[in-house]
Amino acid sequence: MADTSPDPDYWSRQLSIPQWKQEIIHEQTAFVLGAGGIGTNVAFALCRLGIKKLFILDMDVVDSHNLNRQTLYGLDQVNKPKAQAAADTLTRVHSVCTEVVPVNLNALTGWKMVVEIARECTVLFNGIDVGDYFDVAVQSLGLALGIPVSVAGTFQSMITVDFFKKGGHPCWGCMGGLSDIDTIKRLAPEHILGLDSIDFVPHDEHPQGASFVCVAVIAGQLAVNNWVNNILELGACPTRSILYLQTLDIDKWEMEADPACLLCSKLTPASGGASPSE
């Protein structure tokens, strides 16, 4: 495990930022779902920030085509489990005080363990590319536990970053556009903590990934930056941001809460979303 009492000089540059509170950062435990292009870049940023503990989950092994953008892996780690390889690099290179815990697990069939780990955490970072209904499940888990959810995705030179504060209003479900209402109801906050598996969620059909290192790194950093802005009250953390790297244009906006949302409409905003209101 990494040194838990680092030299304060490690944080001197970020402590120089007005309103920075390193003690809040040190208290955080993050769950990074997916150790791919998004998750690896989220994880190294969290370690460099100096959070207390980080769980990083993946079920795959490192493939050679991962190396162009998944920054925690080297040639000597090809064919090794991603979660363990990522944890090894984080602990050896990037962590000053963060305890890094690898989780080699299928998040769908192993959902019961996902819930157990999430109960220890103060934020969820979702980088698993299963599809919209898995994203609903992660959002619902955050709502049930009263913790924020940060999501990022990339395609070619486009980055999408979503940030949902604890308690919802709005949440992922407020975006609409999903037609499988029965699945959403099965994944609702009042049920999500009791599910052993969510292998029933529909999978999206994705084309072969098209990405490069700049896109992946920036996406991961923006996902972490939104969360830091939120917990330290430093600045903006819009619900959705879209960055186009080829033109350097950016769109960002705050989503409106849907009063009929199947995920967050029954939750009391002031409660942090930990339990449904009557």
Side-chain angles (χ1 to χ4, degrees):
M1 189 174 72
D3 180 8
T4 56
S5 302
D7 185 332
D9 188 57
Y10 288 133
W11 321 115
S12 61
R13 296 301 188 268
Q14 56 204 51
L15 284 168
S16 299
I17 299 171
Q19 298 180 301
W20 189 274
K21 299 179 179 65
Q22 189 63 31
E23 66 276 11
I24 293 179
I25 297 294
H26 281 324
E27 294 170 354
Q28 305 302 311
T29 296
F31 195 175
V32 178
L33 294 158
I38 302 298
T40 54
N41 288 294
V42 165
F44 95 73
L46 293 170
C47 283
R48 292 284 175 168
L49 280 168
I51 69 168
K52 178 175 69 175
K53 189 172 184 179
L54 185 153
F55 294 92
I56 185 161
L57 175 149
D58 208 289
M59 69 176 204
D60 290 329
V61 298
V62 179
D63 202 329
S64 57
H65 69 75
N66 300 146
L67 301 183
N68 80 313
R69 67 201 182 283
Q70 299 181 17
T71 53
L72 297 181
Y73 310 129
L75 286 169
D76 61 332
Q77 293 171 311
V78 171
N79 295 324
K80 294 184 178 180
K82 279 188 173 182
Q84 187 62 61
D88 290 345
T89 302
L90 289 168
T91 300
R92 179 172 54 87
V93 179
H94 297 291
S95 176
V96 173
C97 66
T98 304
E99 178 186 357
V100 182
V101 181
V103 183
N104 188 12
L105 181 73
N106 181 322
L108 299 177
T109 58
W111 186 255
K112 182 177 181 179
M113 182 175 290
V114 170
V115 171
E116 291 175 1
I117 294 170
R119 289 183 186 275
E120 293 187 44
C121 298
T122 56
V123 61
L124 304 176
F125 289 92
N126 182 16
I128 293 181
D129 191 19
V130 170
D132 290 337
Y133 293 93
F134 179 78
D135 297 337
V136 166
V138 175
Q139 172 66 95
S140 187
L141 180 59
L143 291 171
L145 297 176
I147 59 177
V149 176
S150 191
V151 187
T154 67
F155 182 70
Q156 297 183 9
S157 62
M158 185 178 76
I159 296 166
T160 302
V161 181
D162 297 317
F163 185 78
F164 302 101
K165 301 174 184 177
K166 63 180 184 180
H169 304 277
C171 77
W172 184 271
C174 294
M175 291 192 292
L178 299 180
S179 59
D180 191 342
I181 303 303
D182 289 340
T183 295
I184 297 174
K185 288 181 177 179
R186 290 179 72 180
L187 297 171
E190 58 266 33
H191 305 303
I192 196 69
L193 299 179
L195 297 174
D196 290 342
S197 170
I198 59 168
D199 199 34
F200 58 84
V201 301
H203 293 219
D204 289 355
E205 293 185 8
H206 296 290
Q208 179 174 306
S211 183
F212 65 106
V213 64
C214 297
V215 177
V217 171
I218 293 170
Q221 302 306 295
L222 287 176
V224 174
N225 185 72
N226 278 350
W227 170 68
V228 170
N229 279 354
N230 176 242
I231 63 168
L232 298 186
E233 300 180 343
L234 292 179
C237 46
T239 312
R240 169 155 286 188
S241 305
I242 301 178
L243 176 62
Y244 307 89
L245 287 192
Q246 288 184 341
T247 62
L248 294 183
D249 291 328
I250 185 167
D251 296 321
K252 61 179 190 285
W253 64 90
E254 294 293 341
M255 190 184 306
E256 292 188 5
D258 179 358
C261 176
L262 294 173
L263 297 184
C264 73
S265 63
K266 296 180 181 180
L267 301 174
T268 305
S271 73
S275 60
S277 60
E278 296 297 326

